[in-house]
């Protein structure tokens, strides 16, 4: 982590001070994210700013840019999945406070002491950005060039037998 970004911050004090942190984190240093990546090469650039909006709602605004090394499930080749995240997190002390957040805010439930770990927050958002089935952009031509025959598609549908029963 960059030298100017502490490992742990008191979110409530950061809101009061209107602090902004910027840094870079190596992907290899994020153990939970590393489990879903092909390798740990690269880094994530982030900025984390704290403040209050016009309605006096405390928030943390997180921006992340990264290129995640993934394995394409169509071509079985490594590719870099570009990620750009801009997220406004409404800071709450209790789950009941979530309903009071304005539209466009994601709730971030803080512990009683207001402790927040910027590196873990960045890692959480990157994990959510990993596609369920990684596919390199432009590989759709496989389906276009070799379409599935109609009779084969009917056989593959397990509900086609039910459709025949419904007609009776």
């Amino acid at each position: 982590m960059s030298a100017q970004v502490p490992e742990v911050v008191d979110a409530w004090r950061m809101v009061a001070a209107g602090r902004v942190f910027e840094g870079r984190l190596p992907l290899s240093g994020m153990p939970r994210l590393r489990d879903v990546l092909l390798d740990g090469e690269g880094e994530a650039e982030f900025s984390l700013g704290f403040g209050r909006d016009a309605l006096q709602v405390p928030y943390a605004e997180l921006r992340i840019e990264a290129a995640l090394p993934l394995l394409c499930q169509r071509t079985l080749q490594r590719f870099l999945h570009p990620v750009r995240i801009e997220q406004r997190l409404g800071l709450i002390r209790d789950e009941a406070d979530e309903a009071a957040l304005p539209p466009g805010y994601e709730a971030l439930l803080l512990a009683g002491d207001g402790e927040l770990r910027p590196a873990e927050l960045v890692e959480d958002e990157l994990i959510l950005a990993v596609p369920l089935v990684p596919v390199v952009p432009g590989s759709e031509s496989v389906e276009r060039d070799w379409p599935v025959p109609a009779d084969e598609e009917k056989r593959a549908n397990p509900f086609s037998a039910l459709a025949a029963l419904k007609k009776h």
Side-chain angles (χ1 to χ4, degrees):
M1 192 168 353
S2 298
Q4 71 265 27
V5 181
E7 185 178 327
V8 180
V9 299
D10 180 339
W12 303 118
R13 289 181 62 200
M14 298 303 109
V15 166
R19 291 290 308 264
V20 176
F21 298 100
E22 293 181 345
R24 295 177 172 275
L25 294 170
L27 298 179
S28 60
M30 300 181 203
R32 294 176 294 130
L33 176 66
R34 180 70 182 87
D35 288 344
V36 296
L37 299 179
L38 185 61
D39 56 59
E41 290 181 28
E43 60 185 14
E45 185 176 336
F46 75 96
S47 116
L48 178 62
F50 295 88
R52 288 188 182 272
D53 66 8
L55 299 172
Q56 295 304 306
V57 174
Y59 68 85
E61 191 158 274
L62 181 63
R63 298 177 198 278
I64 306 171
E65 285 191 35
L68 304 178
L70 300 174
L71 180 67
C72 175
Q73 296 302 301
R74 281 194 179 130
T75 64
L76 297 179
Q77 294 179 354
R78 179 185 191 271
F79 76 101
L80 293 176
H81 178 69
V83 174
R84 177 180 229 125
I85 298 170
E86 292 187 22
Q87 184 76 281
R88 186 167 272 200
L89 305 163
L91 304 178
I92 59 174
R93 297 175 198 261
D94 188 89
E95 289 181 16
D97 298 337
E98 183 176 356
L101 290 176
Y105 281 62
E106 278 294 318
L108 180 60
L109 181 63
L110 294 174
D113 58 3
E115 191 175 277
L116 178 71
R117 298 178 183 278
E120 287 181 10
L121 186 59
V122 170
E123 184 176 14
D124 289 344
E125 291 298 324
L126 288 174
I127 289 169
L128 291 172
V130 174
L132 190 58
V133 179
V135 178
V136 70
S139 66
E140 296 84 11
S141 64
V142 171
E143 291 177 2
R144 186 186 68 232
D145 295 341
W146 293 288
V148 177
D151 63 327
E152 187 176 318
E153 193 170 321
K154 274 187 177 180
R155 282 193 311 249
N157 184 352
F159 300 107
S160 59
L162 293 175
L165 290 174
K166 188 176 175 183
K167 291 179 183 177
H168 292 287

